[in-house]
Structure formats: structure tokens, C-alpha cells
Amino acid sequence: MMQVQEAWMMPFAFCTREKRWCEFAEPVNGESTQFLQEFALKYNMVIISSILERDINHGETLWNTAVIIGNHGNIIGKHRKNHIPRVGDFNESTYYMEGNTGHPVFETAYGKIAVNICYGRHHPLNWLAFGLNGAEIVFNPSATVGELSEPMWPIEARNAAIANSYFVGSINRVGTEIFPNPFTSGDGKPPHPDFGHFYGSSHFSAPDASCTPSLSRYKDGLMISDMDLNLCRQLKDKWGFRMTARYELYADTLASYLKPDFEPQVISDPLLHKKSF
């Protein structure tokens, strides 16, 4: 199985808000997919390819999409990015909006896999939903920079692997990309021509809390790892997280929270605001 970084077929230009970068968008069965289909067939691999998708059948709408290519060179399916960042230079909603494919799990020759694209790793319910649908490995193709997220990088995926009893593959872009025209993000900083440093550090996390060493922060690399998917069931049996999760409690809370007249369940000390004489 192989996973590449987010939007691997282009510069990560979504900071610029320039529409010319839309020229990199392609259909799910476009050139990038066809290129990787040959390798999937030749090497008997499942490949997850993260592209800028152009949806020809729906007015050429753009999406941030992961294409799942089977080991016979076939397209198994696709998943679109669920959560779109609006923080710092990440102005991605200029190009595409939140995805509409839910939380699919793809049953492949090598296991049941899902794709939590980049910013989705900051949302615990996103990780949870892939687990509820039976994922054994969740890949997190990313393009994120040091100043914004590096302290969180080794924590979030590992926590998700533990809480959901599956493996997580964390893949990040490497290097600094310079764009022709400086840009700003309304944060008071002067115009600048780059996002910052994409810090790489790709790694795997396991449901037993173990993890591999990370790849380099400064140069491209390839990580190969064996995974015993039996570990997913063994950890479910050991900890019983699914059995003890009390999903009905949270379903009720979330259903209430979504209503316009929601009121937080806060019980105040009756003496808190009482005047003393």
C-alpha cells in the first residue's frame, strides 16, 4: 500500500488565492491517476493519490480529493476532504469547500483503509467516524508548516490510533515553496512569498501506542512498514473502548447542540453571585 502527500501533483498554492492554480485540477480518472494506475498494477500495490479534483459532471466544481487505486490498477473509489482550514495562510476555501462523501472505508486486498485528509486530523469526530465504519488503517495526507502545527503533529495521529484501535499513516510535504507574487492573509504580517517550511516528519502510529521514527524534516523520503492488522482487534478486546463508549450520551448532546435554542448544561453554584454583607 502506498500513500503520497496532499495534492502531490502540484505546488501547495492555496495560500495565494490566485485562480491560475486551478489549472492543476483534473478528473478522478485524470493523468495523475492514470500515471499511478500503471505502478499499482505493476507492483501489486494499493495507492492513495491526493489530487485537486475537477468534478466534470457538476459544473467543474473543484474538490480536495483522495483517489483509491486498487492493486489491479482499478479505481476503487474516492473521498473528499471533510474539513477546510481557515487559519493563517491556509485560504483553501478560495478553491474548494467541505467534501460530501462522508467517512467511507475502502476494503482492499490489504485491509480496510480510510483517508483523513490534512486538516481533518484536528477533528476527533472525524477520526471516530472512520473507526466506526471499520477502518484498520487511516492515512492522513497533509501539507502543513512548522510555525502552525508542528508541536501537534506527533500527538494527534497517535492519539487517534489509540482511541480508535487502528493504524495511522501520517504523511507530510517537505521543503519551502516560493511563489512569484507575495501574498497576505489579513493577519497584520507583511506580504510574503512562501507558506513557511513544510516539515515532513512522516511516520506510522499503531493502536498499541507505539510509533515508528519519523522521516526527515528537510528532505523527501520513503517509509516502509509492516503492520499486523490483528492488532486492531486485539486492542479492541483489551480496552473495550467501543463497548464502554456510551455513544448514546454523545448522540443526545450533539443533537441538542445543533438546535438553535441549545443551552449548555452548566450548573452554577447558587452562592456564586450572592452578595455578602
Side-chain angles (χ1 to χ4, degrees):
M1 222 175 281
M2 185 184 84
Q3 165 73 64
V4 292
Q5 67 198 25
E6 183 183 18
W8 69 275
M9 24 63 76
M10 62 178 292
F12 204 77
F14 308 124
C15 51
T16 68
R17 299 188 293 279
E18 296 175 356
K19 292 296 186 175
R20 60 177 174 157
W21 301 106
C22 295
E23 294 299 319
F24 281 94
E26 58 186 283
V28 164
N29 61 350
E31 292 182 4
S32 296
T33 301
Q34 293 172 26
F35 173 73
L36 293 178
Q37 281 179 293
E38 296 181 10
F39 290 102
L41 178 60
K42 181 177 180 179
Y43 295 106
N44 197 31
M45 290 192 302
V46 171
I47 299 178
I48 301 97
S49 174
S50 180
I51 67 169
L52 182 62
E53 177 198 354
R54 185 177 294 278
D55 186 356
I56 302 298
N57 292 337
H58 294 89
E60 302 207 7
T61 303
L62 302 187
W63 304 94
N64 186 319
T65 300
V67 182
I68 290 74
I69 303 170
N71 60 310
H72 297 290
N74 57 308
I75 297 175
I76 297 175
K78 66 186 177 187
H79 173 56
R80 292 166 173 162
K81 188 172 183 176
N82 278 332
H83 298 276
I84 306 301
R86 294 166 179 84
V87 56
D89 288 332
F90 287 81
N91 300 297
E92 297 175 38
S93 56
T94 303
Y95 300 88
Y96 45 79
M97 297 298 287
E98 285 78 8
N100 57 3
T101 52
H103 295 86
V105 169
F106 304 92
E107 187 170 12
T108 75
Y110 306 114
K112 296 177 180 178
I113 67 172
V115 190
N116 183 357
I117 303 174
C118 198
Y119 188 71
R121 72 181 176 278
H122 303 309
H123 296 269
L125 291 179
N126 207 33
W127 291 110
L128 172 64
F130 291 120
L132 294 180
N133 281 330
E136 296 170 315
I137 308 172
V138 178
F139 292 96
N140 177 225
S142 300
T144 185
V145 294
E147 183 179 354
L148 182 67
S149 66
E150 194 164 9
M152 303 157 71
W153 180 253
I155 300 171
E156 290 173 309
R158 197 172 182 184
N159 283 351
I162 296 168
N164 296 288
S165 304
Y166 53 49
F167 290 88
V168 174
S170 303
I171 306 95
N172 190 25
R173 188 173 289 239
V174 182
T176 303
E177 299 175 351
I178 306 297
F179 297 96
N181 302 315
F183 52 87
T184 63
S185 295
D187 55 5
K189 295 181 180 180
H192 45 283
D194 67 277
F195 241 139
H197 181 70
F198 295 101
Y199 52 82
S201 305
S202 300
H203 63 280
F204 286 105
S205 304
D208 64 356
S210 63
C211 64
T212 66
S214 296
L215 290 178
S216 173
R217 191 178 185 276
Y218 299 103
K219 62 182 181 179
D220 290 331
L222 173 66
M223 176 170 286
I224 300 174
S225 178
D226 290 327
M227 298 182 191
D228 182 359
L229 299 184
N230 292 313
L231 191 61
C232 300
R233 176 176 289 177
Q234 291 166 4
L235 267 295
K236 288 177 181 177
D237 290 346
K238 176 180 179 179
W239 284 105
F241 289 152
R242 289 286 180 265
M243 180 177 62
T244 59
R246 299 297 308 277
Y247 294 120
E248 72 280 1
L249 291 179
Y250 305 102
D252 289 343
T253 300
L254 290 170
S256 177
Y257 179 75
L258 291 173
K259 296 178 181 178
D261 59 352
F262 169 76
E263 294 186 8
Q265 186 181 5
V266 178
I267 301 173
S268 296
D269 180 349
L271 302 181
L272 187 62
H273 302 293
K274 186 176 180 178
K275 293 182 179 180
S276 57
F277 298 95

